[in-house]
Amino acid sequence: MKWIYRIGIFFARILLFLGGLFIPKIRHFSSSRKNLFHRLVEFRSSKPGSLAWFHVASLGEYEQAKPVIAELKRVQPNQLIVVSFFSPSGFDNVVKKTQTYIDFITYLPLDSKTMAEKFLNILQPSIVFFVKYDLWHQHIAAIKSRRIPLFLFSASFRPDQIYFKRDGFFRKILVQFDYIFTQNQNTLDLLKSIDYSNTSIAGDTRFDRVVETARNRKDFPDLLDWVGDFPTVVAGSVWQEDMDLLIPLMNANPGYRWIIAPHDLNPEPMNRWADQLSLLIARYSQWDKKEAPDVLFIDNIGMLSSLYQFAKVAYVGGAFGKGLHNILEPLGFGIPVIFGKLKNIAKFPESAESQANGCGFEVSDLESLKLVFEQLEQPDFYQESADSAQNWVKKNIGAAAKIINKVEKLVSRA
Protein backbone atom coordinates (compact mmCIF):
# COMPACT_ATOMS: atom_id res chain seq x y z
CA MET A 1 0.00 0.00 0.00
CA LYS A 2 2.92 2.35 0.67
CA TRP A 3 4.03 2.01 -2.94
CA ILE A 4 0.52 2.67 -4.22
CA TYR A 5 0.38 5.78 -2.00
CA ARG A 6 3.75 7.01 -3.29
CA ILE A 7 2.75 6.41 -6.90
CA GLY A 8 -0.53 8.21 -6.23
CA ILE A 9 1.29 11.26 -4.86
CA PHE A 10 3.67 11.19 -7.86
CA PHE A 11 0.80 11.24 -10.35
CA ALA A 12 -1.01 13.87 -8.27
CA ARG A 13 1.97 16.18 -8.78
CA ILE A 14 1.81 15.61 -12.54
CA LEU A 15 -1.94 16.25 -12.61
CA LEU A 16 -1.49 19.42 -10.56
CA PHE A 17 1.07 20.66 -13.06
CA LEU A 18 -1.12 19.87 -16.06
CA GLY A 19 -4.30 21.11 -14.40
CA GLY A 20 -2.55 24.35 -13.47
CA LEU A 21 -2.11 25.13 -17.15
CA PHE A 22 -5.88 25.40 -17.59
CA ILE A 23 -7.58 25.76 -14.19
CA PRO A 24 -6.85 28.92 -12.14
CA LYS A 25 -7.61 27.32 -8.75
CA ILE A 26 -5.18 24.45 -9.38
CA ARG A 27 -2.60 26.90 -10.71
CA HIS A 28 -2.94 28.92 -7.50
CA PHE A 29 -2.61 25.75 -5.40
CA SER A 30 0.72 24.94 -7.06
CA SER A 31 2.18 28.42 -7.51
CA SER A 32 1.48 29.39 -3.91
CA ARG A 33 3.92 26.69 -2.77
CA LYS A 34 6.84 28.14 -4.74
CA ASN A 35 9.69 29.36 -2.53
CA LEU A 36 8.06 27.59 0.43
CA PHE A 37 11.36 26.19 1.70
CA HIS A 38 13.24 29.42 1.07
CA ARG A 39 10.78 31.36 3.23
CA LEU A 40 10.96 28.66 5.89
CA VAL A 41 14.77 28.83 5.99
CA GLU A 42 14.65 32.62 6.35
CA PHE A 43 12.19 32.32 9.24
CA ARG A 44 14.16 29.69 11.14
CA SER A 45 17.42 31.57 10.60
CA SER A 46 15.94 34.63 12.28
CA LYS A 47 14.04 32.69 14.99
CA PRO A 48 15.87 29.53 16.06
CA GLY A 49 14.06 28.79 19.35
CA SER A 50 11.79 25.97 20.53
CA LEU A 51 8.83 25.67 18.18
CA ALA A 52 5.34 24.17 18.15
CA TRP A 53 3.93 23.28 14.74
CA PHE A 54 0.16 23.20 14.18
CA HIS A 55 -1.17 21.77 10.92
CA VAL A 56 -4.67 22.62 9.71
CA ALA A 57 -6.50 21.82 6.51
CA SER A 58 -8.21 25.17 6.07
CA LEU A 59 -9.88 28.10 7.80
CA GLY A 60 -12.37 26.12 9.88
CA GLU A 61 -9.66 23.98 11.44
CA TYR A 62 -7.55 27.07 12.09
CA GLU A 63 -10.43 28.50 14.13
CA GLN A 64 -10.37 25.28 16.17
CA ALA A 65 -6.61 25.62 16.65
CA LYS A 66 -6.69 29.22 17.88
CA PRO A 67 -7.83 28.54 21.48
CA VAL A 68 -5.20 25.81 21.89
CA ILE A 69 -2.49 28.07 20.48
CA ALA A 70 -3.53 30.84 22.89
CA GLU A 71 -3.45 28.43 25.85
CA LEU A 72 -0.05 27.06 24.84
CA LYS A 73 1.34 30.60 24.64
CA ARG A 74 -0.14 31.38 28.04
CA VAL A 75 1.72 28.53 29.73
CA GLN A 76 4.80 28.63 27.46
CA PRO A 77 5.16 32.25 26.33
CA ASN A 78 8.57 31.71 24.71
CA GLN A 79 7.34 28.92 22.45
CA LEU A 80 7.40 29.84 18.75
CA ILE A 81 4.22 28.96 16.86
CA VAL A 82 4.07 27.91 13.20
CA VAL A 83 0.80 27.08 11.43
CA SER A 84 0.72 25.18 8.14
CA PHE A 85 -2.24 25.08 5.76
CA PHE A 86 -3.09 22.61 3.05
CA SER A 87 -5.81 24.75 1.43
CA PRO A 88 -5.01 28.03 -0.36
CA SER A 89 -8.41 29.42 0.68
CA GLY A 90 -7.49 28.98 4.34
CA PHE A 91 -3.98 30.36 3.90
CA ASP A 92 -5.13 33.35 1.83
CA ASN A 93 -7.74 34.38 4.39
CA VAL A 94 -5.41 34.14 7.38
CA VAL A 95 -2.21 35.60 5.96
CA LYS A 96 -3.91 38.92 5.14
CA LYS A 97 -4.14 39.91 8.82
CA THR A 98 -1.81 39.87 11.78
CA GLN A 99 -2.52 36.69 13.73
CA THR A 100 -2.13 36.83 17.50
CA TYR A 101 0.53 34.42 18.84
CA ILE A 102 1.50 33.17 15.36
CA ASP A 103 5.16 33.57 14.39
CA PHE A 104 4.96 32.07 10.90
CA ILE A 105 2.30 30.84 8.47
CA THR A 106 3.19 28.42 5.68
CA TYR A 107 1.77 25.90 3.27
CA LEU A 108 2.29 22.20 3.83
CA PRO A 109 4.38 20.69 1.02
CA LEU A 110 2.90 17.84 -0.97
CA ASP A 111 3.23 14.54 0.88
CA SER A 112 6.33 12.99 -0.67
CA LYS A 113 9.10 11.54 1.49
CA THR A 114 11.65 14.03 0.14
CA MET A 115 9.41 17.04 0.77
CA ALA A 116 8.38 15.90 4.24
CA GLU A 117 11.97 15.22 5.31
CA LYS A 118 13.13 18.60 4.02
CA PHE A 119 10.22 20.39 5.74
CA LEU A 120 11.01 18.76 9.10
CA ASN A 121 14.76 19.30 8.75
CA ILE A 122 14.24 23.03 8.33
CA LEU A 123 11.36 23.53 10.73
CA GLN A 124 12.76 21.39 13.58
CA PRO A 125 9.64 21.51 15.79
CA SER A 126 9.78 20.34 19.39
CA ILE A 127 6.09 19.39 19.38
CA VAL A 128 3.46 18.89 16.64
CA PHE A 129 -0.33 19.20 16.62
CA PHE A 130 -2.69 18.15 13.84
CA VAL A 131 -6.20 19.58 14.02
CA LYS A 132 -9.27 17.40 13.38
CA TYR A 133 -8.04 15.56 10.25
CA ASP A 134 -5.84 16.06 7.12
CA LEU A 135 -3.41 13.36 8.16
CA TRP A 136 -0.48 12.90 5.76
CA HIS A 137 1.57 9.69 5.85
CA GLN A 138 5.03 10.99 4.92
CA HIS A 139 4.89 14.03 7.20
CA ILE A 140 3.68 11.94 10.14
CA ALA A 141 6.38 9.33 9.42
CA ALA A 142 9.04 12.06 9.38
CA ILE A 143 7.76 13.40 12.71
CA LYS A 144 7.77 9.96 14.32
CA SER A 145 11.24 9.09 13.04
CA ARG A 146 12.51 12.13 14.95
CA ARG A 147 10.59 11.12 18.10
CA ILE A 148 8.82 14.47 18.22
CA PRO A 149 5.68 14.43 20.43
CA LEU A 150 2.67 14.24 18.10
CA PHE A 151 -0.94 15.06 19.03
CA LEU A 152 -4.31 15.24 17.32
CA PHE A 153 -7.11 17.35 18.79
CA SER A 154 -10.71 18.22 17.90
CA ALA A 155 -10.92 14.75 16.36
CA SER A 156 -14.39 13.83 15.15
CA PHE A 157 -14.52 10.54 13.24
CA ARG A 158 -17.28 8.48 11.62
CA PRO A 159 -17.64 4.68 11.31
CA ASP A 160 -17.59 4.88 7.50
CA GLN A 161 -14.08 6.35 7.42
CA ILE A 162 -11.30 4.13 6.15
CA TYR A 163 -9.47 4.05 9.49
CA PHE A 164 -12.27 1.94 10.97
CA LYS A 165 -13.24 -0.22 7.99
CA ARG A 166 -10.05 -2.26 7.87
CA ASP A 167 -6.61 -2.56 9.40
CA GLY A 168 -3.64 -1.54 7.31
CA PHE A 169 -1.95 1.51 5.82
CA PHE A 170 -4.39 4.28 6.76
CA ARG A 171 -5.12 2.97 10.25
CA LYS A 172 -1.38 2.90 10.90
CA ILE A 173 -1.24 6.62 10.10
CA LEU A 174 -3.86 7.28 12.76
CA VAL A 175 -2.27 5.21 15.51
CA GLN A 176 1.06 7.01 15.10
CA PHE A 177 -0.27 9.84 17.25
CA ASP A 178 0.98 9.83 20.83
CA TYR A 179 -2.43 11.01 22.02
CA ILE A 180 -5.76 11.93 20.42
CA PHE A 181 -8.21 14.40 21.96
CA THR A 182 -11.75 13.80 20.70
CA GLN A 183 -14.71 16.11 20.39
CA ASN A 184 -17.24 13.52 21.48
CA GLN A 185 -17.96 10.08 22.91
CA ASN A 186 -18.67 8.52 19.51
CA THR A 187 -15.13 9.25 18.31
CA LEU A 188 -13.67 7.95 21.56
CA ASP A 189 -15.63 4.70 21.14
CA LEU A 190 -14.45 4.33 17.53
CA LEU A 191 -10.82 4.71 18.55
CA LYS A 192 -11.20 2.18 21.34
CA SER A 193 -12.87 -0.23 18.89
CA ILE A 194 -9.55 -0.45 17.01
CA ASP A 195 -7.63 -0.86 20.30
CA TYR A 196 -6.32 2.70 20.39
CA SER A 197 -6.35 3.71 24.06
CA ASN A 198 -4.27 6.93 24.21
CA THR A 199 -7.35 9.09 23.93
CA SER A 200 -9.85 11.13 25.91
CA ILE A 201 -12.74 13.52 25.34
CA ALA A 202 -11.61 17.16 25.45
CA GLY A 203 -14.58 18.62 23.61
CA ASP A 204 -14.82 20.99 20.68
CA THR A 205 -12.31 23.85 20.93
CA ARG A 206 -14.64 26.00 18.85
CA PHE A 207 -16.70 26.61 21.99
CA ASP A 208 -13.70 28.40 23.50
CA ARG A 209 -13.30 30.33 20.29
CA VAL A 210 -16.91 31.49 19.96
CA VAL A 211 -17.06 32.60 23.59
CA GLU A 212 -13.90 34.64 23.05
CA THR A 213 -15.40 36.13 19.87
CA ALA A 214 -18.58 37.10 21.72
CA ARG A 215 -16.58 38.74 24.51
CA ASN A 216 -14.44 40.70 22.05
CA ARG A 217 -17.03 41.42 19.39
CA LYS A 218 -16.60 44.37 17.09
CA ASP A 219 -18.81 47.39 17.68
CA PHE A 220 -21.06 48.67 14.90
CA PRO A 221 -22.84 51.83 16.21
CA ASP A 222 -24.61 52.36 12.88
CA LEU A 223 -26.14 48.88 13.03
CA LEU A 224 -27.07 49.31 16.68
CA ASP A 225 -29.04 52.45 15.81
CA TRP A 226 -30.63 50.76 12.80
CA VAL A 227 -31.75 47.71 14.76
CA GLY A 228 -33.18 49.79 17.60
CA ASP A 229 -36.06 47.91 19.22
CA PHE A 230 -36.80 45.76 16.15
CA PRO A 231 -36.44 41.98 16.55
CA THR A 232 -33.63 40.99 14.23
CA VAL A 233 -32.71 37.85 12.33
CA VAL A 234 -29.12 37.34 11.19
CA ALA A 235 -28.77 34.82 8.36
CA GLY A 236 -25.12 33.85 8.00
CA SER A 237 -23.28 32.11 5.15
CA VAL A 238 -26.46 31.58 3.16
CA TRP A 239 -26.72 29.98 -0.26
CA GLN A 240 -29.51 29.99 -2.85
CA GLU A 241 -31.20 26.95 -1.25
CA ASP A 242 -31.36 28.79 2.07
CA MET A 243 -32.75 31.96 0.53
CA ASP A 244 -35.46 29.97 -1.24
CA LEU A 245 -36.89 29.36 2.24
CA LEU A 246 -35.96 32.67 3.82
CA ILE A 247 -37.36 35.04 1.18
CA PRO A 248 -41.05 34.04 1.70
CA LEU A 249 -40.51 34.22 5.48
CA MET A 250 -38.96 37.67 5.18
CA ASN A 251 -41.77 38.98 2.98
CA ALA A 252 -44.30 37.71 5.53
CA ASN A 253 -42.54 39.42 8.47
CA PRO A 254 -41.95 43.10 7.68
CA GLY A 255 -41.78 43.95 11.40
CA TYR A 256 -38.29 42.44 11.64
CA ARG A 257 -34.85 43.66 10.70
CA TRP A 258 -33.01 41.17 8.48
CA ILE A 259 -29.23 40.95 8.18
CA ILE A 260 -28.22 38.65 5.32
CA ALA A 261 -24.59 37.58 4.97
CA PRO A 262 -24.18 35.50 1.78
CA HIS A 263 -21.50 32.85 1.55
CA ASP A 264 -20.63 34.11 -1.93
CA LEU A 265 -20.14 37.87 -2.34
CA ASN A 266 -20.94 37.74 -6.05
CA PRO A 267 -23.48 40.58 -6.56
CA GLU A 268 -25.64 38.58 -8.98
CA PRO A 269 -27.37 36.38 -6.34
CA MET A 270 -27.92 39.40 -4.09
CA ASN A 271 -29.55 41.27 -6.98
CA ARG A 272 -31.77 38.28 -7.70
CA TRP A 273 -32.82 37.96 -4.06
CA ALA A 274 -33.52 41.68 -3.83
CA ASP A 275 -35.90 41.42 -6.82
CA GLN A 276 -37.90 38.75 -4.97
CA LEU A 277 -38.26 40.75 -1.75
CA SER A 278 -41.09 43.19 -1.09
CA LEU A 279 -39.05 44.89 1.66
CA LEU A 280 -36.71 47.87 1.59
CA ILE A 281 -33.17 46.67 0.87
CA ALA A 282 -29.64 48.05 1.02
CA ARG A 283 -26.15 46.70 0.68
CA TYR A 284 -23.97 47.49 3.63
CA SER A 285 -21.18 48.99 1.48
CA GLN A 286 -23.65 51.37 -0.21
CA TRP A 287 -25.99 52.02 2.71
CA ASP A 288 -26.97 55.65 3.36
CA LYS A 289 -27.17 55.70 7.17
CA LYS A 290 -30.01 58.23 6.99
CA GLU A 291 -32.18 55.50 5.50
CA ALA A 292 -33.77 52.63 7.40
CA PRO A 293 -34.12 49.59 5.14
CA ASP A 294 -35.74 46.38 6.33
CA VAL A 295 -32.93 44.24 4.94
CA LEU A 296 -29.17 44.70 4.87
CA PHE A 297 -27.03 42.52 2.63
CA ILE A 298 -23.53 42.24 4.07
CA ASP A 299 -21.28 42.43 1.03
CA ASN A 300 -17.89 42.14 2.70
CA ILE A 301 -15.80 39.63 4.65
CA GLY A 302 -14.99 39.75 8.35
CA MET A 303 -18.18 41.09 9.95
CA LEU A 304 -20.34 38.01 10.36
CA SER A 305 -18.98 36.58 13.60
CA SER A 306 -19.76 39.86 15.39
CA LEU A 307 -23.12 40.48 13.71
CA TYR A 308 -24.84 37.81 15.79
CA GLN A 309 -24.80 40.26 18.72
CA PHE A 310 -27.79 41.96 17.07
CA ALA A 311 -29.81 38.79 16.51
CA LYS A 312 -32.83 37.57 18.34
CA VAL A 313 -32.64 34.47 16.14
CA ALA A 314 -29.94 33.24 13.76
CA TYR A 315 -30.15 31.18 10.61
CA VAL A 316 -26.95 29.47 9.43
CA GLY A 317 -26.71 28.29 5.84
CA GLY A 318 -25.02 25.55 3.89
CA ALA A 319 -26.82 22.45 5.14
CA PHE A 320 -28.73 21.95 1.88
CA GLY A 321 -25.50 22.06 -0.13
CA LYS A 322 -21.82 21.49 0.58
CA GLY A 323 -22.16 21.48 4.34
CA LEU A 324 -23.44 23.37 7.35
CA HIS A 325 -21.46 26.44 8.35
CA ASN A 326 -20.57 27.29 11.94
CA ILE A 327 -23.69 27.20 14.13
CA LEU A 328 -21.60 27.65 17.28
CA GLU A 329 -20.90 31.31 16.48
CA PRO A 330 -24.49 32.48 17.08
CA LEU A 331 -24.89 30.05 19.99
CA GLY A 332 -21.87 31.73 21.56
CA PHE A 333 -24.03 34.85 21.82
CA GLY A 334 -26.73 32.84 23.56
CA ILE A 335 -29.29 32.90 20.74
CA PRO A 336 -31.25 30.05 19.12
CA VAL A 337 -30.12 28.95 15.68
CA ILE A 338 -32.04 27.53 12.72
CA PHE A 339 -30.42 25.51 9.92
CA GLY A 340 -31.38 23.30 7.00
CA LYS A 341 -31.84 19.55 7.07
CA LEU A 342 -28.47 17.85 6.76
CA LYS A 343 -27.72 15.04 4.34
CA ASN A 344 -24.96 13.65 6.56
CA ILE A 345 -25.54 14.42 10.24
CA ALA A 346 -22.40 12.52 11.29
CA LYS A 347 -20.19 15.18 9.66
CA PHE A 348 -21.72 17.88 11.85
CA PRO A 349 -22.33 16.38 15.31
CA GLU A 350 -22.99 19.84 16.76
CA SER A 351 -26.24 19.98 14.77
CA ALA A 352 -27.74 16.98 16.57
CA GLU A 353 -26.32 18.07 19.92
CA SER A 354 -27.80 21.57 19.60
CA GLN A 355 -31.20 20.07 18.84
CA ALA A 356 -30.95 17.71 21.80
CA ASN A 357 -30.14 20.70 24.00
CA GLY A 358 -33.11 22.70 22.72
CA CYS A 359 -31.20 25.57 21.10
CA GLY A 360 -30.81 24.31 17.52
CA PHE A 361 -33.66 23.79 15.05
CA GLU A 362 -33.47 21.84 11.79
CA VAL A 363 -35.87 22.72 8.96
CA SER A 364 -36.48 20.93 5.69
CA ASP A 365 -38.89 23.25 3.90
CA LEU A 366 -40.79 26.52 4.18
CA GLU A 367 -43.55 25.04 6.32
CA SER A 368 -41.15 23.68 8.93
CA LEU A 369 -39.26 27.00 8.92
CA LYS A 370 -42.51 28.91 9.55
CA LEU A 371 -43.40 26.54 12.39
CA VAL A 372 -40.04 26.99 14.14
CA PHE A 373 -40.17 30.74 13.61
CA GLU A 374 -43.65 30.92 15.15
CA GLN A 375 -42.48 28.87 18.14
CA LEU A 376 -39.55 31.20 18.70
CA GLU A 377 -41.91 34.16 18.68
CA GLN A 378 -43.53 32.79 21.84
CA PRO A 379 -41.74 34.44 24.80
CA ASP A 380 -41.58 31.37 27.05
CA PHE A 381 -40.38 29.05 24.29
CA TYR A 382 -37.82 31.60 23.13
CA GLN A 383 -36.42 32.23 26.60
CA GLU A 384 -36.08 28.52 27.27
CA SER A 385 -34.19 28.09 23.99
CA ALA A 386 -31.90 31.08 24.64
CA ASP A 387 -31.15 29.81 28.15
CA SER A 388 -30.36 26.39 26.68
CA ALA A 389 -27.90 27.96 24.23
CA GLN A 390 -26.07 29.76 27.04
CA ASN A 391 -25.99 26.68 29.27
CA TRP A 392 -24.80 24.33 26.53
CA VAL A 393 -21.97 26.65 25.48
CA LYS A 394 -20.95 27.26 29.09
CA LYS A 395 -20.85 23.51 29.74
CA ASN A 396 -18.50 22.95 26.80
CA ILE A 397 -15.89 25.66 27.25
CA GLY A 398 -12.43 24.79 28.53
CA ALA A 399 -11.33 22.26 25.89
CA ALA A 400 -8.11 24.14 25.12
CA ALA A 401 -7.03 24.15 28.76
CA LYS A 402 -7.76 20.41 29.05
CA ILE A 403 -5.64 19.70 25.97
CA ILE A 404 -2.59 21.73 26.97
CA ASN A 405 -2.72 20.54 30.57
CA LYS A 406 -2.70 16.89 29.41
CA VAL A 407 -0.01 17.54 26.78
CA GLU A 408 2.32 19.09 29.35
CA LYS A 409 1.92 16.06 31.61
CA LEU A 410 2.54 13.61 28.77
CA VAL A 411 5.59 15.47 27.45
CA SER A 412 7.11 15.81 30.93
CA ARG A 413 6.89 12.01 31.38
CA ALA A 414 8.59 11.26 28.06
Side-chain angles (χ1 to χ4, degrees):
M1 187 63 193
K2 283 184 181 180
W3 282 105
I4 296 173
Y5 184 84
R6 287 180 180 179
I7 292 168
I9 293 293
F10 173 78
F11 279 110
R13 293 172 68 180
I14 295 173
L15 290 172
L16 284 169
F17 173 76
L18 294 174
L21 298 175
F22 308 101
I23 304 171
K25 283 188 177 180
I26 295 179
R27 183 161 58 249
H28 179 49
F29 179 92
S30 300
S31 64
S32 59
R33 282 169 165 78
K34 287 182 179 178
N35 300 318
L36 183 158
F37 293 113
H38 176 71
R39 293 194 299 269
L40 204 60
V41 167
E42 285 187 337
F43 163 69
R44 280 310 256 160
S45 297
S46 62
K47 292 190 176 183
S50 177
L51 182 148
W53 166 30
F54 288 76
H55 175 64
V56 300
S58 192
L59 190 59
E61 293 71 42
Y62 177 62
E63 289 297 316
Q64 290 182 300
K66 276 183 171 181
V68 180
I69 292 169
E71 181 63 15
L72 180 60
K73 288 293 280 187
R74 187 185 71 79
V75 300
Q76 298 180 22
N78 295 325
Q79 184 82 272
L80 296 171
I81 304 291
V82 167
V83 177
S84 64
F85 283 84
F86 182 78
S87 160
S89 61
F91 180 94
D92 290 346
N93 272 288
V94 169
V95 80
K96 292 175 184 175
K97 302 176 184 177
T98 300
Q99 300 296 321
T100 307
Y101 307 125
I102 310 301
D103 295 283
F104 191 72
I105 300 169
T106 180
Y107 281 102
L108 187 76
L110 292 181
D111 196 44
S112 71
K113 184 175 182 180
T114 302
M115 293 280 199
E117 290 288 341
K118 187 174 182 180
F119 188 79
L120 266 294
N121 285 338
I122 299 169
L123 191 62
Q124 294 184 343
S126 56
I127 190 168
V128 179
F129 299 88
F130 278 59
V131 184
K132 194 172 182 178
Y133 66 108
D134 208 45
L135 313 182
W136 294 99
H137 164 65
Q138 297 292 3
H139 283 83
I140 288 173
I143 293 163
K144 294 303 293 181
S145 69
R146 290 161 175 78
R147 297 184 178 179
I148 301 168
L150 176 62
F151 301 95
L152 175 65
F153 65 84
S154 290
S156 179
F157 295 125
R158 307 183 306 277
D160 61 349
Q161 289 178 293
I162 195 167
Y163 310 114
F164 309 105
K165 284 186 173 181
R166 63 182 70 89
D167 198 359
F169 178 77
F170 288 101
R171 183 177 294 182
K172 286 178 182 176
I173 296 175
L174 186 63
V175 300
Q176 291 297 303
F177 284 90
D178 295 306
Y179 203 89
I180 296 176
F181 298 93
T182 75
Q183 288 190 35
N184 50 52
Q185 184 67 45
N186 289 341
T187 298
L188 188 79
D189 293 341
L190 281 170
L191 289 169
K192 289 186 174 180
S193 74
I194 60 169
D195 297 322
Y196 183 91
S197 58
N198 296 332
T199 180
S200 63
I201 302 171
D204 190 339
T205 57
R206 287 182 300 170
F207 283 98
D208 293 337
R209 179 65 185 149
V210 298
V211 168
E212 185 65 21
T213 298
R215 285 175 185 158
N216 298 292
R217 60 185 179 267
K218 298 174 186 175
D219 292 326
F220 300 102
D222 52 352
L223 287 174
L224 185 63
D225 291 340
W226 171 69
V227 167
D229 295 327
F230 285 90
T232 302
V233 175
V234 175
S237 301
V238 292
W239 297 71
Q240 181 62 51
E241 296 89 342
D242 302 299
M243 291 304 293
D244 287 342
L245 302 189
L246 285 169
I247 286 171
L249 183 73
M250 294 166 69
N251 284 332
N253 289 275
Y256 278 72
R257 294 290 198 228
W258 301 87
I259 298 175
I260 309 296
H263 174 75
D264 184 354
L265 298 185
N266 184 335
E268 193 278 325
M270 285 185 267
N271 292 336
R272 186 170 64 250
W273 300 339
D275 290 340
Q276 298 174 56
L277 287 164
S278 58
L279 307 172
L280 295 175
I281 297 148
R283 289 196 197 174
Y284 186 76
S285 64
Q286 302 169 6
W287 175 32
D288 181 348
K289 306 305 186 293
K290 297 175 184 176
E291 298 178 353
D294 303 300
V295 182
L296 274 179
F297 284 114
I298 307 301
D299 52 356
N300 58 53
I301 294 172
M303 287 178 65
L304 177 58
S305 62
S306 289
L307 290 178
Y308 292 115
Q309 66 184 289
F310 302 110
K312 177 184 178 183
V313 176
Y315 180 101
V316 173
F320 295 116
K322 293 185 177 180
L324 181 63
H325 293 284
N326 192 351
I327 67 169
L328 298 183
E329 283 187 341
L331 291 170
F333 284 91
I335 58 172
V337 61
I338 305 170
F339 46 87
K341 187 171 180 61
L342 284 155
K343 296 175 182 177
N344 191 337
I345 296 174
K347 285 187 176 181
F348 304 93
E350 67 273 21
S351 65
E353 291 170 25
S354 69
Q355 292 178 75
N357 280 274
C359 51
F361 302 90
E362 186 181 76
V363 298
S364 56
D365 52 28
L366 178 57
E367 289 308 310
S368 57
L369 175 60
K370 284 181 178 178
L371 178 61
V372 168
F373 196 76
E374 289 169 3
Q375 287 177 315
L376 290 170
E377 286 188 308
Q378 299 169 18
D380 290 344
F381 186 92
Y382 177 82
Q383 193 57 53
E384 185 178 342
S385 178
D387 290 344
S388 296
Q390 293 177 15
N391 293 334
W392 185 47
V393 170
K394 186 177 180 180
K395 185 174 67 175
N396 281 278
I397 58 176
K402 289 180 187 176
I403 291 166
I404 295 303
N405 183 50
K406 181 68 174 180
V407 165
E408 286 204 300
K409 290 178 180 177
L410 291 169
V411 171
S412 66
R413 290 180 202 159

